[in-house]
Amino acid sequence: MKKNIAILFSGNGSNLERLIRQLHNKTFIPTNEIPIHESFFISGLKRGFREARDNEDGNKFSINVALALSNKKNAYGVVRAQNQGIKTIVCESKGKDRESFDMELVNILKEHDIELCVLAGFMRILTPNFTNNFKAINIHPSLLPLYKGANGIEDSFNSPMVLGGVSVHYVTSELDSGEIIAQGVIPKYESLEIYEERIHALEHFLYPFALLEAVYRDIYGI
Ligand code: GRF
């Protein structure tokens, strides 16, 4: 079983690159070992995944990153996706109303037979035009439901909390809402710069597993 996914982004694209490197054109099999990391506390994942061997039996599935799509032509992620050999499309959102931009997106995604959309720094609130047509997941750099919006890292850092983290969740037409798949937690570090660096490292660890979990649930109707 092969799943066609699209990764949608607006900027730097570090998560996009990580997901492509870890998952594209690879076949996975679930394991009973829930992912752990030496310096991050992770919760929500129900199983782990590892690459499957050719002659192995089991609930195997493959990931095909069929498309990388940016709503900004100057996004550095465009370069990253092209360097990885992924088909890349820019569909500018500037000057378009939400509904018609989303219909354009839906048409492109349908043309590429996309089954799951993965938002990775895609700075758009999606309308029902989109969410009624596609299942999507997103990564947000805070412990949702706290600190929604574009400044999740800074807002978390400046909050009275002594921990921060990241969340991977299903996308609805409401900003940074939708069922949470997994979260990871880190302490506050001494500066915003260090905290931000650690948040991105946590994202790069968590997102591939959470994406595999979402695909697995989708395939097996969990
Ligand atoms: C990440 O912090 C992600 O959580 C947020 O946007 C940022 C994207 O970073 N939604 P990158 O473009 O993947 O480097």
Side-chain angles (χ1 to χ4, degrees):
M1 164 103 43
K2 185 160 148 188
K3 274 279 167 184
N4 269 346
I5 68 167
I7 305 179
L8 279 58
F9 61 100
S10 304
N12 180 33
S14 70
N15 282 284
L16 159 102
E17 181 168 343
R18 175 74 177 176
L19 293 170
I20 295 168
R21 284 181 183 275
Q22 293 270 114
L23 307 179
H24 179 52
N25 267 343
K26 293 183 181 166
T27 302
F28 294 90
I29 193 161
T31 73
N32 291 328
E33 282 165 47
I34 295 175
I36 49 168
H37 188 280
E38 59 199 14
S39 49
F40 306 132
F41 179 74
I42 307 290
S43 189
L45 297 172
K46 301 281 184 284
R47 70 210 98 229
F49 296 90
R50 63 165 170 77
E51 275 193 62
R53 291 179 285 275
D54 283 347
N55 56 358
E56 198 169 17
D57 287 331
N59 295 344
K60 293 198 287 188
F61 62 93
S62 312
I63 301 286
N64 176 41
V65 181
L67 183 66
L69 190 149
S70 172
N71 68 318
K72 292 193 188 298
K73 64 175 186 304
N74 295 326
Y76 185 58
V78 170
V79 177
R80 292 187 196 253
Q82 285 170 340
N83 285 345
Q84 297 297 317
I86 301 295
K87 174 156 188 196
T88 308
I89 291 182
V90 175
C91 176
E92 281 282 354
S93 53
K94 208 170 171 184
K96 296 173 188 161
D97 64 71
R98 281 192 195 289
E99 279 72 19
S100 43
F101 174 70
D102 281 5
M103 276 327 293
E104 251 184 80
L105 274 189
V106 165
N107 289 335
I108 295 170
L109 296 166
K110 283 189 173 164
E111 275 166 26
H112 290 82
D113 295 324
I114 299 303
E115 298 167 279
L116 177 75
C117 292
V118 178
L119 312 189
F122 188 60
M123 306 306 274
R124 304 277 310 168
I125 298 173
L126 293 161
T127 66
N129 280 359
F130 181 96
T131 53
N132 290 341
N133 277 292
F134 283 99
K135 186 175 278 189
I137 62 171
N138 180 42
I139 189 158
H140 182 75
S142 79
L143 291 172
L144 290 174
L146 298 172
Y147 315 117
K148 297 177 179 180
N151 301 314
I153 296 180
E154 233 178 302
D155 291 349
S156 302
F157 187 78
N158 293 326
S159 80
M161 291 182 65
V162 294
L163 291 166
V166 313
S167 308
V168 178
H169 63 95
Y170 289 105
V171 172
T172 66
S173 51
E174 212 179 303
L175 178 68
D176 298 328
S177 301
E179 187 195 337
I180 292 169
I181 299 168
Q183 291 183 308
V185 173
I186 57 170
K188 290 275 185 73
Y189 288 89
E190 50 276 27
S191 69
L192 176 60
E193 289 66 35
I194 297 173
Y195 177 69
E196 187 161 3
E197 215 173 86
R198 297 306 293 155
I199 282 288
H200 290 308
L202 169 56
E203 290 184 329
H204 297 163
F205 176 76
L206 185 64
Y207 211 2
F209 283 114
L211 195 165
L212 289 169
E213 173 68 23
V215 169
Y216 184 83
R217 286 185 194 178
D218 201 49
I219 293 173
Y220 295 101
I222 299 170

